[in-house]
Amino acid sequence: MTLNEIETQFTELTTSDQFHRFEVVIESHQRAHCEVYSRYGRKYLPIAAFKHADVTTFPISEAEDIFMSSSTGGNERSRHFIRKMSIYQDAVCAGFESVFGPGPFTIWAFLPGYIPNSSLVRMLKILIERYGHDNSQFFLSDHLPQIESHDPPLIFFGAAFGLLDLVESNIYRLPGDARIVETGGMKTHRREMTRAELHAQLARGFGLQENRIWSEYGMCELLSQAYAKGGGVYYPPPWMRVIIVDPLNPEQILPEGEAGLLAITDLANIHTVSSILTEDLGVKRGHGFEVLGRFPGSALRGCNFLLDSG
């Protein structure tokens, strides 16, 4: 199994044995060619490394794109150097289509404050181009576009705080088959709320059943996404594995139902680092996971080691 083969086959994984074979090849390559990952030594690289180092297995001058984080937690932004945009496009489209189907759809994107080279903006541009009907669009104002009766079903992506602002200033009535997909950002400039509270308020504000309020989990440092089809449990695609680890000892995997840090292996991260220790608290729920919020303070003491060893 070569890296070139993995690049074209990772979205076709169906078994844990295949995942393991791909993972071994990818991790070996990353240990050999990503200096910061090799120096760190442990399996799951703290996500903050993307703020402080060039997490890449190739010269950054060869990157086809650079994703930047939204920097909601501070002034420093993570940078993810993308070796091949085709890999990201394959991950985005295969993950989306497995959840929503082949389309076409009317896709709206409401992302106030997001920078143009954020991974979420890139993702939605890809989805609109690949699956979007003519009425699909980004918009910035609080006046929603019109939905025509003959348009395909609506999928409305939006940052949680932006969607909340929309429904707190207006009452909208979307078609009953519409789906809202909130993309995180639970902490608003006013207060923090649970995801259940957010979904209930969005359902009322858009005139939908609560099971039409879905969620997407993704980040600048990962090339794949997980979706929750209503409720709070996200399900990753087959090439993405999520476990829960002890925040004080990330080598220890926690059992189902016990809260800890999300540790994610995304095989689409072929040319950077595929195994990432996030700053999100979560709980394993069967084949899925629930996100409980950000870990208070800095969970990533390992980054001190990472920087001090430079």
Side-chain angles (χ1 to χ4, degrees), residues 9-57:
Q9 297 177 23
F10 73 92
T11 60
E12 301 171 8
L13 287 176
T14 57
T15 69
S16 57
D17 286 343
Q18 289 176 312
F19 186 101
H20 178 69
R21 290 200 302 272
F22 281 36
E23 183 183 22
V24 167
V25 174
I26 291 172
E27 185 170 333
S28 176
H29 172 74
Q30 292 169 352
R31 291 289 183 196
H33 297 282
C34 180
E35 190 269 340
V36 68
Y37 190 41
S38 176
R39 189 169 76 232
Y40 185 66
R42 300 176 185 176
K43 181 173 180 64
Y44 292 97
L45 183 72
I47 199 169
F50 285 81
K51 294 181 179 179
H52 304 294
D54 296 338
V55 182
T56 175
T57 61

Side-chain angles (χ1 to χ4, degrees), residues 104-149:
F105 301 100
T106 301
I107 300 176
W108 288 353
F110 184 58
L111 303 173
Y114 274 73
I115 58 177
N117 60 340
S118 73
S119 58
L120 184 57
V121 171
R122 292 285 199 274
M123 180 189 88
L124 286 166
K125 285 182 176 179
I126 291 169
L127 294 180
I128 288 173
E129 181 178 342
R130 183 73 64 91
Y131 303 102
H133 179 259
D134 291 344
N135 200 21
S136 300
Q137 60 185 289
F138 285 81
F139 61 96
L140 296 175
S141 73
D142 58 0
H143 297 288
L144 297 187
Q146 293 295 315
I147 284 285
E148 303 294 338
S149 60

Side-chain angles (χ1 to χ4, degrees), residues 45-47 217 219 222 261-264 276-281 299-300:
L45 183 72
I47 199 169
Y217 181 85
M219 60 186 68
L222 298 173
L261 286 176
L262 299 180
I264 299 176
I276 303 297
L277 181 64
T278 77
E279 296 177 345
D280 292 327
L281 279 173
L300 304 178

Side-chain angles (χ1 to χ4, degrees), residues 268-290:
N269 278 30
I270 296 169
H271 297 289
T272 52
V273 170
S274 56
S275 292
I276 303 297
L277 181 64
T278 77
E279 296 177 345
D280 292 327
L281 279 173
V283 177
K284 191 73 172 172
R285 303 292 189 195
H287 296 296
F289 62 95
E290 184 178 354

Side-chain angles (χ1 to χ4, degrees), residues 247-309:
L248 301 180
N249 178 19
E251 301 296 315
Q252 180 180 347
I253 300 175
L254 298 178
E256 181 168 347
E258 190 168 337
L261 286 176
L262 299 180
I264 299 176
T265 298
D266 181 4
L267 298 185
N269 278 30
I270 296 169
H271 297 289
T272 52
V273 170
S274 56
S275 292
I276 303 297
L277 181 64
T278 77
E279 296 177 345
D280 292 327
L281 279 173
V283 177
K284 191 73 172 172
R285 303 292 189 195
H287 296 296
F289 62 95
E290 184 178 354
V291 180
L292 304 179
R294 303 284 282 184
F295 189 86
S298 175
L300 304 178
R301 295 182 180 89
C303 253
N304 295 329
F305 165 81
L306 194 154
L307 294 172
D308 293 343
S309 300

